[in-house]
């Protein structure tokens, strides 16, 4: 039996933006239920037996510890993207479900990662957020060309250099190698800085042939030292690391 965990942010935005012209709460509620059932049904075809899914919701406002950790740049200080019209309603409806949960001070990602860590080989995470891929487990990313895959806890992960929007190079990664790649790339969506001048190709070349967590981290620390940014390493690591919140 596989445990299924939904990152609620994916539901809020995926369902929300599809219902911008809808004004009926009943219709919104029905679409939430149908979406969860549709995805769960797809997973049953792959994993055969799955438990009733858990819906994990991010704590509201700025209770997230990362707002206090961020010193170089304000955490999420550049957020200007619009939210769906039914953003608050969908969150409220999800919270009413008996299989939903929220932990104060944590984003949904952190809670999802902590739950997955208990038994990664028997847990399937449904999320649009590729930051989670630094952690072991099964992942289903709706709409992706590789929608279902496994991040092996016994390896340091991997990196793939791909062509993204406008044929621009981009990285797809998993495990600790992906976390360390983000340390150099940064995460613009959350206003987390990386190292200036380090793009997808440069980071890929630096890490592609490294196979242990120790040598991967040693290389990234070396790059931070070379950019005279060693004092930022722990801050950026804490901002980017998903799960294990104390």
């Amino acid at each position: 039996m596989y445990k299924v965990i939904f990152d609620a942010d994916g539901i809020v935005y995926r369902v929300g933006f599809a219902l911008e012209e809808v004004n009926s709460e009943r219709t919104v509620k029905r679409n939430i239920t149908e979406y969860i059932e549709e995805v769960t049904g797809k997973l049953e075809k792959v994993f055969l037996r799955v438990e009733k899914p858990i819906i994990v919701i991010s704590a509201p406002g700025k209770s997230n510890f990362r707002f206090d950790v961020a010193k170089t740049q304000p955490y999420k200080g550049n957020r200007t993207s619009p939210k769906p019209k039914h953003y608050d309603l969908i969150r409220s409806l999800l919270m009413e479900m008996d299989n939903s949960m929220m932990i104060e001070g944590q984003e949904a990602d952190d809670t999802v990662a902590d739950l997955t860590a208990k038994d990664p080989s028997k847990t399937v995470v449904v999320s649009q957020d590729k930051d989670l891929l630094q952690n072991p487990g099964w992942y289903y990313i709706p709409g992706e060309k590789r929608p279902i895959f496994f991040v092996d806890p016994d390896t340091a992960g991997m990196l793939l250099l791909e062509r993204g929007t406008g044929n621009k190079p981009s990285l797809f990664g998993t495990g600790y190698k992906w976390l360390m790649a983000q340390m150099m790339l940064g995460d613009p969506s959350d206003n987390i800085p990386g190292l200036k001048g380090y793009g997808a190709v440069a980071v890929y070349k630096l890490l592609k042939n490294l196979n242990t967590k120790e040598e991967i981290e040693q290389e990234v620390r070396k790059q931070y030292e070379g950019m005279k940014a060693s004092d930022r390493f722990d801050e950026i690591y804490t901002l980017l690391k998903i799960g294990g919140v104390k």
Side-chain angles (χ1 to χ4, degrees):
M1 187 76 77
Y2 285 80
K3 179 181 294 183
V4 176
I5 305 173
F6 278 78
D7 175 353
D9 287 344
I11 302 174
V12 171
Y13 284 89
R14 197 172 184 87
V15 174
F17 280 125
L19 300 177
E20 290 290 276
E21 303 301 320
V22 171
N23 294 309
S24 165
E25 180 175 328
R26 179 180 296 180
T27 301
V28 173
K29 187 173 184 178
R30 185 182 72 246
N31 275 266
I32 293 171
T33 302
E34 289 176 351
Y35 175 73
I36 294 172
E37 290 177 348
E38 176 189 351
V39 172
T40 303
K42 290 179 179 179
L43 296 179
E44 284 179 332
K45 292 180 180 179
V46 177
F47 298 99
L48 301 183
R49 298 180 65 200
V50 300
E51 298 176 3
K52 182 178 181 179
I54 299 170
I55 313 297
V56 179
I57 305 168
S58 291
K62 293 189 175 182
S63 61
N64 182 347
F65 72 96
R66 292 181 178 87
F67 287 98
D68 294 325
V69 171
K71 305 299 181 186
T72 305
Q73 294 179 181
Y75 182 60
K76 295 188 177 180
N78 60 343
R79 283 286 175 100
T80 58
S81 300
K83 294 179 179 178
K85 180 173 72 173
H86 299 298
Y87 178 87
D88 291 327
L89 172 60
I90 295 174
R91 281 177 56 89
S92 177
L93 291 171
L94 289 171
M95 279 300 299
E96 292 175 3
M97 294 182 173
D98 60 6
N99 55 331
S100 68
M101 64 182 296
M102 174 193 294
I103 296 182
E104 190 67 24
Q106 292 193 191
E107 294 188 17
D109 288 357
D110 297 308
T111 303
V112 169
D114 292 341
L115 292 172
T116 305
K118 296 176 181 179
D119 191 1
S121 65
K122 287 291 185 177
T123 304
V124 187
V125 174
V126 181
S127 178
Q128 300 288 149
D129 195 337
K130 295 178 182 178
D131 294 345
L132 273 166
L133 301 181
Q134 62 186 248
N135 295 296
W138 285 97
Y139 290 88
Y140 173 65
I141 304 180
E144 283 292 310
K145 60 184 178 183
R146 56 174 76 80
I148 299 177
F149 56 92
F150 183 63
V151 178
D152 192 340
D154 295 326
T155 72
M158 60 84 176
L159 291 177
L160 293 176
L161 185 62
E162 303 179 322
R163 294 293 174 183
T165 305
N167 213 31
K168 183 180 179 180
S170 65
L171 281 182
F172 175 88
T174 66
Y176 197 69
K177 185 174 283 192
W178 176 229
L179 171 59
M180 288 292 106
Q182 289 180 299
M183 288 287 294
M184 291 184 282
L185 293 170
D187 185 351
S189 66
D190 284 336
N191 204 35
I192 301 174
L195 293 176
K196 188 175 181 179
Y198 286 68
V201 175
V203 170
Y204 176 75
K205 288 180 178 179
L206 282 170
L207 301 183
K208 66 176 181 177
N209 294 322
L210 304 182
N211 299 309
T212 69
K213 290 183 178 180
E214 291 75 18
E215 61 184 356
I216 293 168
E217 181 173 325
Q218 184 179 27
E219 179 60 40
V220 176
R221 285 187 179 276
K222 177 182 173 183
Q223 300 304 315
Y224 265 72
E225 290 170 4
M227 296 296 290
K228 301 188 185 322
S230 296
D231 59 326
R232 292 200 287 114
F233 186 93
D234 289 344
E235 173 196 346
I236 305 305
Y237 179 88
T238 303
L239 291 171
L240 289 170
K241 177 72 175 69
I242 305 297
V245 178
K246 302 299 183 184

